[in-house]
Amino acid sequence: MLLQIKNLKINYKSDSRLLEVVRGVNLDIDKGECVGLIGESGCGKTTVGLSITKLIPERKGNISSGEILFEDKDILKLNTEELRNIRGRKISYVFQEPFSSLNPVFTIYEQMRELLKEKDNTGSQIAEILKSVGLEKIIDRKNMYPHELSGGMQQRVMIGMAIASRPGLVVLDEPTTALDVTVQRQILDLIMELKNKMNLSILFISHDLRIVFNIADRVNIMYAGKIIECGPKERIISAPSHPYTIGLIDSIPSFEHRKKLFNAIGGRAPLFSELPNGCKFYPRCRFKIDRCAEKEPELEDVSSGHASRCIRIEDIKSNGIIKDR
Ligand SMILES: Nc1ncnc2c1ncn2[C@@H]1O[C@H](COP(=O)(O)OP(=O)(O)OP(=O)(O)O)[C@@H](O)[C@H]1O
Ligand code: SF4
Ligand SMILES: [Mg+2]
């Protein structure tokens, strides 16, 4: 495995107390694999992504336990110098808002040159990178500033900068959320093309199940700080095994022809300051029984490489309420 996150727990300070917002996450990424991390806003996705290079600001929170093994070394045990060598080189990031990631007062060319400063032949490398992300037409426009590019082109620049050092892992955190639908499609195609060409390993974070199903090989669904279901994409689509995942899938318009379990998942995710006992999905789950509120379910295998955190799933499936599709 290229990356293994083991039992990761992260706290944030909130009103002078600490709230655990990542509550024991396990997640693996193999070389050349695209792994999706999905969940509603605030469930902890970005926090997991940032922790991979220890980017949780110390004033605001801390990683209280766990291991993050990257190429078999625990990132949480590295010193500042070692971390600097990993950030942006071996592990790079692309975030939602390309414009806020670019510096408005420097040209694109200057920013790329800065990134590549230790390397020879910077000019030809910049041209190579721009070409690889479909920006041939701006290769000769060395005095172009970020605001002169569209959002989609800015995101192409960010992706180019993220892959420039041929990183082992790229974390893409909602990379298309700020873009309109046609541009989203083009950026996803570009990511897929680069993944195949460069054998990139990707953590793809999104709240949009459709996008993740398009792009990921394996999928992790997160709810209230924990993974509640994980498995190969095909298994999650054909045999979702947690009531929350089933609700998410049934709310995708293109899956409308399928048997509907929920029109939408009612209610809201609980606040971290008010997590219920037992299963955290309990308040919203139409299959709950009293026992669900006693103890938080473990993540248990439902088939090879596919696991769910629901004590009733076999029961629910065998009653024919949820059918494998
Ligand atoms: N810097 C911070 N200080 C305090 N709390 C924070 C901080 N960043 C995030 N949180 C809290 O941690 C929880 C997880 O946030 P996170 O940003 O990881 O969620 P997310 O799943 O990425 O959400 P979104 O889909 O909105 O991006 C949220 O409850 C959030 O309020
Ligand atoms: S454990 Fe119970 S409350 Fe939780 S998802 Fe399963 S059936 Fe619903
Ligand atoms: Mg986020």
Side-chain angles (χ1 to χ4, degrees):
M1 276 296 163
L2 175 74
L3 179 82
Q4 284 178 284
I5 299 181
K6 295 185 180 179
N7 197 25
L8 182 68
K9 295 184 179 174
I10 302 173
N11 302 305
Y12 275 126
K13 286 177 192 142
S14 168
D15 299 335
S16 75
R17 64 176 175 145
L18 282 178
L19 284 181
E20 194 174 71
V21 304
V22 172
R23 302 182 307 108
V25 161
N26 295 293
L27 188 150
D28 294 340
I29 303 179
D30 220 339
K31 278 213 170 79
E33 198 180 27
C34 177
V35 171
L37 183 59
I38 311 171
E40 278 166 282
S41 183
C43 72
K45 307 178 296 294
T46 295
T47 307
V48 170
L50 293 175
S51 70
I52 296 175
T53 59
K54 260 179 109 174
L55 282 171
I56 307 293
E58 267 176 41
R59 283 174 298 114
K60 297 193 169 159
N62 66 64
I63 298 176
S64 60
S65 72
E67 283 178 304
I68 300 181
L69 302 177
F70 178 72
E71 294 176 337
D72 298 324
K73 271 197 199 136
D74 189 351
I75 288 194
L76 301 182
K77 297 200 172 114
L78 300 184
N79 62 33
T80 319
E81 183 62 31
E82 289 167 321
L83 277 173
R84 208 174 296 137
N85 280 328
I86 286 197
R87 286 183 191 143
R89 296 185 195 184
K90 293 193 163 201
I91 302 177
S92 59
Y93 289 85
V94 176
F95 294 103
Q96 181 171 334
E97 291 287 348
F99 192 67
S100 51
S101 304
L102 289 161
N103 189 330
V105 301
F106 291 105
T107 64
I108 299 292
Y109 186 82
E110 284 166 334
Q111 294 184 56
M112 295 193 90
R113 201 176 50 193
E114 174 68 19
L115 181 82
L116 298 167
K117 63 185 169 207
E118 293 147 40
K119 302 188 182 141
D120 299 331
N121 304 319
T122 312
S124 61
Q125 274 201 45
I126 292 175
E128 200 54 44
I129 294 164
L130 290 174
K131 205 166 139 206
S132 70
V133 293
L135 290 176
E136 294 86 347
K137 59 185 167 207
I138 67 162
I139 289 174
D140 295 324
R141 302 191 55 188
K142 295 199 172 138
N143 46 11
M144 249 192 145
Y145 286 89
H147 72 268
E148 296 178 68
L149 298 177
S150 67
M153 288 168 92
Q154 288 168 2
Q155 199 57 305
R156 284 176 189 268
V157 171
M158 292 318 301
I159 293 170
M161 289 168 94
I163 59 165
S165 59
R166 303 205 146 250
L169 176 69
V170 185
V171 179
L172 296 158
D173 189 346
E174 307 266 7
T176 63
T177 306
L179 307 172
D180 68 46
V181 178
T182 23
V183 182
Q184 268 189 10
R185 185 66 262 161
Q186 292 159 4
I187 296 291
L188 289 175
D189 288 346
L190 171 68
I191 294 167
M192 283 310 281
E193 181 196 318
L194 293 170
K195 173 186 180 265
N196 296 334
K197 215 188 277 174
M198 299 173 67
N199 198 30
L200 282 180
S201 311
I202 295 174
L203 176 63
F204 194 97
I205 297 174
S206 177
H207 65 279
D208 190 330
L209 209 63
R210 264 176 309 187
I211 291 181
V212 176
F213 282 163
N214 254 308
I215 203 157
D217 303 306
R218 275 190 305 121
V219 174
N220 292 273
I221 294 118
M222 196 167 179
Y223 189 81
K226 277 197 182 193
I227 306 293
I228 53 95
E229 183 165 359
C230 58
K233 167 177 68 180
E234 295 74 20
R235 287 292 301 164
I236 303 279
I237 296 173
S238 65
S241 294
H242 190 286
Y244 178 61
T245 317
I246 294 159
L248 288 179
I249 291 181
D250 282 352
S251 62
I252 299 177
S254 57
F255 286 72
E256 245 165 20
H257 59 285
R258 301 188 169 198
K259 181 175 179 298
K260 280 241 186 236
L261 184 67
F262 308 104
N263 283 325
I265 305 166
R268 288 165 166 246
L271 297 171
F272 284 102
S273 54
E274 297 168 7
L275 286 184
N277 291 329
C279 175
K280 304 306 175 235
F281 190 57
Y282 180 88
R284 301 169 85 184
C285 183
R286 58 172 278 191
F287 301 111
K288 64 186 171 217
I289 51 173
D290 289 351
R291 197 156 57 86
C292 303
E294 286 167 13
K295 185 172 167 281
E296 187 158 23
E298 299 293 330
L299 198 57
E300 294 200 12
D301 288 350
V302 285
S303 63
S304 168
H306 180 190
S308 157
R309 199 181 283 282
C310 170
I311 55 167
R312 289 204 69 205
I313 201 65
E314 288 314 319
D315 185 22
I316 294 167
K317 281 187 173 178
S318 65
N319 278 324
I321 302 169
I322 301 171
K323 291 199 176 72
D324 280 5
R325 320 159 188 225

